[in-house]
Amino acid sequence: MREVKTFFVRTYGCQMNEYDSQILAGILSKTEKYEIIDQPDGADFILINTCSVRENAETTIYNRLNHLKQYKKTKSNLVVGIIGCMAERMRKDIFTKSELVKIVIGPDEYRSAPEILQNSMAGNSGIAVRLSRVETYEDIEPLRKEGISAWLAIMRGCNHFCSYCVVPYTRGRERSRSINSILKEIELLQDEGFKEVTLLGQNVNSYFDLQNKTNFPKLLRKVAETGSTMRIRYVTSHPLDMSDELIETMNEFDNICNYIHLPFQSGSNRILNLMNRGYTREHYLERIKKIKSSLNEFSLSTDIIAGFPTETEDDHKQTLDLMRQVRFDGAFMFKYSPREGTKAYKMNDDVAEEIKIHRLNEIIELQNIISKENNKNEIGKTYEVLVEKPSKKKAHEWMGRTKLNKVVIFDNSNDKYTTGDLVNVLIKRSNSATLFAEVVE
Ligand code: 5AD
Ligand code: SF4
């Protein structure tokens, strides 16, 4: 009998990374030579899928690798691999810098994983980091975790080249999966009992199936029809590509969640120009106006960068002002950090660290106030919640999400409701992150 080897994948970073780990696990499991386990103890392979978008490549990766040394002590033939975005950045440098790592696989090379793992057992290091213009893994079934929510990548890569961002270099050019393969997978997910699917892409709005002349709004419509019993979500959008057609399509289907993540990055036109974002503050606000006037209910979130090169106090104030105008429900807020190989890397990173931190804190504080106020306005409203799991704090309390992606905690003392149920709740209390509710029958 052939011996089956075990592997463990640790994922850091964005949802796309989580999804890619499931793709890799799908590829390895299909060979029947490798079996996934859910903890690193005793694994023959530990694979780390780590993010290079914002994290400081060198330091984080070495901290993480140091952590793994303990497993090598108890299992001397353990093989460690770096996969994904960071693998693409570090390439063979990592072999000389860490004796633990024997495998490096970039995001477009997961198909070569079975062979590389096999060879590594004989002591050979293996590296595969070519980027592809066509790879979409559309024939691969990801090894998803059990649950009610699934991710599905509809496109990969990005052509936008924002000046601060490594994604076009680590994930390559934009390419879309065929609509037929996506719809087939949606059917499968629905049959398997998934209740929610999130369509993923670095910029889903520029999805285009060339053969079938299908753009993102048309795809979304078909997905909503095919997966009619599931909630449909998507991330991430780019303000340039957020079309009227898309906003109107969202309005047509009840099961498309009107939660829109629309990164604006900076409220200053001068900085937006240096960031190569391709739009102005006025364009962004006009898109928000369109969303607000077209959708009855909606929820908006965004990404913001503080302290981009040359950012002045006035530029920063314009960011705060834009936040006040839009009143986002949530935001991912970052301090600018230079990424090697990007255009902005050549600019002087001239905003002092303490100023960056100060501005970031102002942004975070303002967002907290707005989130708190927005959530206060939810008190007294009724929502349908998709039940997820027991809350972390109290066993009898469970959490779920509204269609607008707000987290709701409610009493489930008699275990009346379980994962995947839809319940109506009345919001009684709230804070900046959470709504507290009572179930209404
Ligand atoms: N520095 C800070 N934030 C960054 N992001 C991407 N690159 C950088 C960088 N070099 C942020 C952007 C993007 C999100 C995914 O990460 O806000 O929207
Ligand atoms: Fe990066 Fe800009 Fe592409 Fe987003 S749109 S992935 S920030 S290059």
Side-chain angles (χ1 to χ4, degrees), residues 96-346:
T96 45
K97 290 183 177 161
S98 164
E99 54 190 39
L100 204 57
V101 177
K102 291 282 174 266
I103 291 174
V104 175
I105 307 175
D108 285 348
E109 291 265 29
Y110 297 138
R111 285 179 205 269
S112 56
E115 202 186 322
I116 292 183
L117 264 62
Q118 174 82 39
N119 290 339
S120 73
M121 285 187 271
N124 302 319
S125 336
I127 177 162
V129 286
R130 252 177 326 174
L131 288 173
S132 160
R133 287 191 177 253
V134 291
E135 181 63 272
T136 60
Y137 299 113
E138 69 174 34
D139 56 322
I140 304 286
E141 200 184 322
L143 191 68
R144 294 189 166 92
K145 292 203 182 95
E146 270 181 37
I148 52 167
S149 302
W151 289 312
L152 198 171
I154 59 164
M155 48 95 65
R156 302 176 68 85
C158 183
N159 287 352
H160 269 288
F161 287 91
C162 302
S163 64
Y164 51 80
C165 183
V166 287
V167 167
Y169 309 97
T170 59
R171 289 190 164 275
R173 287 311 102 80
E174 201 175 279
R175 65 220 100 114
S176 298
R177 256 178 86 162
S178 70
I179 176 165
N180 297 336
S181 79
I182 295 169
L183 295 180
K184 241 169 56 198
E185 200 165 331
I186 292 285
E187 268 175 26
L188 198 81
L189 291 171
Q190 187 159 255
D191 291 347
E192 284 174 1
F194 282 94
K195 305 283 187 221
E196 181 175 71
V197 60
T198 305
L199 307 178
L200 292 180
Q202 252 70 41
N203 174 20
V204 287
N205 314 138
S206 51
Y207 171 89
F208 199 76
D209 176 339
L210 268 171
Q211 224 167 20
N212 296 294
K213 308 259 175 306
T214 308
N215 65 8
F216 184 61
K218 291 194 177 68
L219 172 75
L220 190 62
R221 181 173 287 131
K222 287 283 183 199
V223 166
E225 281 166 2
T226 310
S228 60
T229 65
M230 298 190 291
R231 285 181 172 183
I232 313 295
R233 301 183 183 282
Y234 64 86
V235 279
T236 287
S237 302
H238 191 290
L240 258 189
D241 307 315
M242 188 81 215
S243 65
D244 286 358
E245 188 189 0
L246 174 56
I247 298 167
E248 279 146 23
T249 305
M250 295 182 76
N251 230 355
E252 279 171 40
F253 292 87
D254 259 3
N255 62 327
I256 300 180
C257 299
N258 290 352
Y259 163 71
I260 303 175
H261 181 68
L262 197 61
F264 79 88
Q265 315 294 3
S266 166
S268 151
N269 281 338
R270 194 181 63 81
I271 297 293
L272 284 172
N273 189 32
L274 288 175
M275 286 178 164
N276 196 29
R277 289 289 289 173
Y279 56 85
T280 58
R281 166 193 179 89
E282 290 73 26
H283 171 85
Y284 187 89
L285 287 170
E286 188 277 323
R287 289 292 78 198
I288 295 291
K289 205 165 145 195
K290 172 74 189 171
I291 292 168
K292 289 186 174 174
S293 63
S294 304
L295 304 177
N296 293 335
E297 47 167 30
F298 56 85
S299 174
L300 288 162
S301 65
T302 197
D303 292 348
I304 306 169
I305 300 177
F308 188 80
T310 77
E311 188 188 71
T312 62
E313 197 54 34
D314 181 58
D315 294 320
H316 168 62
K317 289 230 159 69
Q318 292 187 51
T319 292
L320 296 174
D321 180 72
L322 195 144
M323 292 171 72
R324 282 191 199 99
Q325 284 197 47
V326 180
R327 298 185 61 77
F328 297 98
D329 288 302
F332 298 93
M333 299 157 281
F334 313 105
K335 197 166 56 127
Y336 170 71
S337 69
R339 298 281 86 141
E340 205 176 334
T342 61
K343 249 187 160 170
Y345 191 73
K346 297 190 194 100

